Amino acid sequence: MPYELLTQSYGKSRVRLTKVDRDADVHQITELSVDVELDGDFNAAYTDGDNALVVPTDTMKNTVYAFARELDPCELETFAWTLGSHFIEAFDHISDVYVKLTETPWERAVIDGQPHPHAFLGTSSERHTCQVGMSRSPDGEEPEGAIECGLEGLILLKTTDSGFSKFLQDEFTTLPEIDDRIMATNVTAKWMYNDSPDNWRGIRHRIRSILIREFAARFSPSVQATLYEMASAVLDVEPVVEEVSLSMPNLHRHLLDLSRFDLDNPNVLFVPSDEPHGSINATVCRQRPEG
Amino acid sequence: MPYELLTQSYGKSRVRLTKVDRDADVHQITELSVDVELDGDFNAAYTDGDNALVVPTDTMKNTVYAFARELDPCELETFAWTLGSHFIEAFDHISDVYVKLTETPWERAVIDGQPHPHAFLGTSSERHTCQVGMSRSPDGEEPEGAIECGLEGLILLKTTDSGFSKFLQDEFTTLPEIDDRIMATNVTAKWMYNDSPDNWRGIRHRIRSILIREFAARFSPSVQATLYEMASAVLDVEPVVEEVSLSMPNLHRHLLDLSRFDLDNPNVLFVPSDEPHGSINATVCRQRPEG
Amino acid sequence: MPYELLTQSYGKSRVRLTKVDRDADVHQITELSVDVELDGDFNAAYTDGDNALVVPTDTMKNTVYAFARELDPCELETFAWTLGSHFIEAFDHISDVYVKLTETPWERAVIDGQPHPHAFLGTSSERHTCQVGMSRSPDGEEPEGAIECGLEGLILLKTTDSGFSKFLQDEFTTLPEIDDRIMATNVTAKWMYNDSPDNWRGIRHRIRSILIREFAARFSPSVQATLYEMASAVLDVEPVVEEVSLSMPNLHRHLLDLSRFDLDNPNVLFVPSDEPHGSINATVCRQRPEG
Amino acid sequence: MPYELLTQSYGKSRVRLTKVDRDADVHQITELSVDVELDGDFNAAYTDGDNALVVPTDTMKNTVYAFARELDPCELETFAWTLGSHFIEAFDHISDVYVKLTETPWERAVIDGQPHPHAFLGTSSERHTCQVGMSRSPDGEEPEGAIECGLEGLILLKTTDSGFSKFLQDEFTTLPEIDDRIMATNVTAKWMYNDSPDNWRGIRHRIRSILIREFAARFSPSVQATLYEMASAVLDVEPVVEEVSLSMPNLHRHLLDLSRFDLDNPNVLFVPSDEPHGSINATVCRQRPEG
C-alpha cells in the first residue's frame, strides 16, 4: 500500500437500551446509550476492500443487546468491562476495545409521600458515564485497561461567594475587578480509581455530593480555585480515587447596566449568556512518588 | 398599497434574565426567557418604510429588563400581565400584546441535609411557562386578555400498567396487541383559570403533582385515556382551573426480539426510539352551559 | 363524561423516508419527514378507554411507507393530498386530516464539471415544506382543504444597503439610529395558491429566487419593509399565488466598539448574536373584494 | 499542595465575529467562531487562589476582536498562527497556546445570473476548520507548532455503487450481505501539510473536491475502503499534504420490508436512521522512512 494507515477505530455509537428489573414488585430501570469501538488487524478492510476480519457494527449492536439481556447493566463499570472483554476474547485479531456507557437516570416518582413501585421521572440533565479502554494482554492473560467513571450535566450556580480580581492586566483588558458575582457552571467530571470500590454506585453518588458541597462551601476567587478545591475534596474523602478531571465552563451572568433608565442594580439583575464562554479544565491527582 | 397586510406580529424573543432576591440571608433566584410580540397600527412600516410608530425590538428588551428590576418576576403571571399592560398603556397605536415567559427552575442545593442559602442546581428539564395575550379594551378600560399557565419537559415513564389493544385494524396494521408495555412521555401542559388562584406558585406545583400521580395511578389502555384522566383529575381537584391542554408524545420503548440469539425477553429489554413517534394532544374543559 | 373533550389531535411525527428513482441511469432521490394527524370521532378512546376506532399511529407510519412506494413523493403537494385523502376515504369516522411534509434537498454532485448520475450532497440547511389540511366534505364529495407550500432555513445576509432609523423613541430606547448595518435573517416562507400551478417544483424554485432577489435588491429601512417587498414581489410575478407569509428573525450582527484598544471600526467588524433576537412575521395577500 | 495539578487548560470558546471587507464595491465576508486555550505557569490560580498570572478569558475575547480588526482573518491558517503567537510573545509564563477557528461559509448570491456585490447565502452545513497548537521554543526562537486544517459537515450520499459483504460472522451476526445499498455519511476531515501551500484557500477547495470525487468514483465494498481511497487521493494529488484524517459515520438508510403490504421494494424505499450509527475513523499518511 502506498500510504500508511496510521490509526483507525471503528464501531457503533448510540446503541440505546432500557432494561427493566421486574423480579420484585418494585421495578428498577436502567437506561443506557452505548458506544463501542474496536482496533486491531483491520488494515485489509481499508487498503484491500477485504472485510473478512470486519466485525460489522450491526453485530456490535446485537452484542450489546445480548449482553444487556444476560447481565445487569445497572453496575456500569462491570457491564462495560465484561462487554469489552468479549471482543478481546472472541476475536484474536482485535487488540483494543473502547466502550463508553452514558446512563440517563430515572428518578422514582414519589406520590403522596410514597415511592411508586414502577413510575419514574426522567427530568434530570445529569448523565452518569463510564469509559473503559482495554487492550489484549501480550501474554494471553486477562485484558488490561482502565475504567474512567464520570458524570455530565451537573449544572450548578451560586448567587454570591464568588469574585474575580487581581488578575493580569494588559492592553486588551477591559474586565473590571469584581468581588461579588454569580458563578454558574455545567460540571463534567471524570475520575479513576486505584482499586475497586466496595460499591460502584455508592461511591459515584458520594463523589457527586462532594462536588456540590465544595462548589458551595466557600468564597471562590476563580473557577480555577474552586475546581481545584472540588477535585481535592474528592481525593481527601475517597482514598480509592486516584485522579479527578473536571471541566467547568463559566456560564456567565452579566450584571446589567440599568443607569440609562435611572435604575440602580445592586447585584440583583443579570443577563445569562452562553457565548462566548470561559472554559476551565484540569486533572488533579495524588502525588506520585518520583523515580 | 397593491396588496393587503393580512396579519403581522413583531417582537423580541429570548430576552433572558436572572433575578436574585438578596434581601434576606437566604437568596432566591428567578431565571426567565421572555418573548414579547406587538400588534397594532404598524402598516406603514411594512408598506411605506415609515418607522415612526415602530417600537424597536431593542426597546422591548430594555423594557423587559427595567420591569424585571422594579417588579418581582418570580410570580410569572403578574409579571407577564404587568409587562404586557405597559405596551397597551404607553402606546395608543398598539392594540394587542403577547408575552411568553419560560422559567428555568433552580432547585436549592441540600448539603449534608441542610438547604444552602445561595447554592442551586439547575439540572431539571422542566420549564414553567406563562403566556399572556391581551388586547386594548374598546372602552379605554383595563386591557382584556387571557393568561395561560403551563409546564414543559415533564418526562414520565412507567415500566408496567400500560397496554394497547382492541384498536382498529386495516390492511396497513402490523402492530401487535399488547397488554403490558413501557409507557413514556414528555408532558407539555397548559391550563387556564376561571378566577385568580390564591397562590399562583402553589397551584402550579399542585397541578404538576396531580399530573404525575394520575399518570402512575392505574392501568393505561392508551395514551389518550391516560391524558384524559390526567386532565380530568386537575379539573376535579382544582375548581379554579377551567381547562387543561396536554401534549403527550409517545416516547416508544420497543421490545427487542432476542430469539435470534437464543434469548428470551420477558418484557425486560427495550430499545428507546425518538422517531418516528406518536403524538397525542387534547384540551379538556368543564362543561359549558348550552345556549 | 363529566368534562368536555374540547379539541384533540393525534398522529405520527417524523416518519422519515428516502425514495430512489432508479428507472434511468441517472438516479433521482427524494427524502422526506412526514407528520400525520387525524381528527374525528375519537372521544371514546379518551373518555372510555375504547380503542375500537383508533387507527394506531404505527399504522399511519406503515401507510406513509406504502403510499411512498406506490406513488412518486417527489411532487410534495400531490403526495400529501393523496395520502391525506386516503384516511378520509378509508374511515368514515375521520373528519379531518393534517399532513406535513418536510423535504431535505439533495443536490446532485458535480464532478469535474459533470453532473454525477448517483452521488449527491446534502449540505443545505434549506427545507421544502408542504402542509395539507383537509376535511370530509359534508355531501360525500371529494374532501375539501388547503395546501400550504413553503420553505425553511433560507439564511440570507447583506453587508450593506440596510439601516434602521426614525423609529419611535420612549424612555427605554437606547438603540442608536443607523444608516448602514448588516442585515441577516433565516427566512421561513409559506404560500397558498389560488389555482394549481403548472409545475409544482418549478414555481417553488421561482418563488425562492424571487425572495432572494428582493432581499438583495435595494436599501432596507427595516426588516418589515423588506419582508413586505419580498412577499409583494412573489404576488407580482406569480399570479397563481394568493398569499405569502414570511417569518424573518433579525439575526443581529452588532458593531464592535474597539475604541478601547485605539482601533476604529468603520463598519467592518461585528459580533453575531443569536439571542435575544428580533422576530418579524407577516402575511401579505391579494386584495379581496369587499362585501 | 497536597495534590498534583496533572494537566490544565483554560480559555474562551465560541468567540464569534463577522468581518466585512468593504474596500471594493464587491464586498467580502468572513465569519468565524474562535476558541483559545492557554497552558503555562497557572498553578497558583488553582492551588492558592492567586490570579496574578491569569489572563482573563474576557481579555482573550478582546484580543481576538482586536486581531481580527487589524488582520485579515480570511486566511484562517495565518490568522490562527498570528493570534496564537501573540500569547506566547506577550506572556513569558505561557508555554502553549491552542487556537481553533471554525468558519461559517457565506456563498455569494447569484441573481439573474449575476454575482451580487453584497448579498450572501449562509445555507451550507459545511464548516472550514483550522486548529493551531503551538509551544514556546526552548531557545527563545519563534514558537513551534502544527497547523491542522479541515472541514466538517460535508454530507454525502450515493444511491448505488456501495455494498457490504464477506464480513466476519459470529453468533451475534444478523446483518445480511448486500451488494447494493445507499451509502451516506457526514465527512469530518483534517489534514496537515509538510510545507506551506501556495494558496491556503485554493488547496482547501481542491481537497474538498477530491474527497467528493473519490466518494463517488467507484464501487464501495465498505466505508473503510472508501475512506482510505478518499484520503489516498488527497495524498496522490497534493504533495504538500502529509496526512489526512477522516471521520465518516455511516448514516444508515435501511431498506424497508413492504411484503406485509403485498408490495415489493427493489431498492427504492428506505428509512433514514440516525441512531445507532456506525462510525469509521482513520488517519492515512505518507510512508515515513524507518530509523
Side-chain angles (χ1 to χ4, degrees), chain B residues 3-4 6 11 174 236 279 283 285, chain C residues 3-4 6 11 236 279 283 285:
Chain B
Y3 303 115
E4 185 181 351
L6 194 62
T174 57
D236 280 347
S279 182
T283 299
C285 66
Chain C
Y3 303 115
E4 187 182 349
L6 195 61
D236 280 347
S279 181
T283 298
C285 65

Side-chain angles (χ1 to χ4, degrees), chain B residues 3-4 6-7 9-11 13-14 16 51 54 62 165 168 172 174 221 228 236 275 277 279 281 283 285, chain C residues 3-4 6-7 9-11 13-14 16 51 54 62 165 168 172 174 221 228 236 275 277 279 281 283 285:
Chain B
Y3 303 115
E4 185 181 351
L6 194 62
T7 65
S9 75
Y10 86 103
S13 296
R14 288 189 62 70
R16 294 169 67 191
N51 295 329
V54 175
N62 288 341
S165 58
L168 190 153
F172 298 117
T174 57
Y228 182 78
D236 280 347
E275 52 171 335
H277 65 83
S279 182
N281 318 286
T283 299
C285 66
Chain C
Y3 303 115
E4 187 182 349
L6 195 61
T7 64
S9 75
Y10 87 102
S13 297
R14 287 189 61 70
R16 294 169 67 191
N51 295 330
V54 175
N62 288 341
S165 59
L168 190 152
F172 299 117
T174 58
Y228 182 79
D236 280 347
E275 51 171 335
H277 64 84
S279 181
N281 318 286
T283 298
C285 65

Side-chain angles (χ1 to χ4, degrees), chain A residues 112-134:
Chain A
D112 298 333
Q114 299 299 315
H116 194 278
H118 57 255
F120 300 86
L121 277 82
T123 54
S124 175
S125 66
E126 295 186 58
R127 295 292 178 265
H128 307 148
T129 59
C130 174
Q131 299 182 52
V132 165
M134 57 171 54

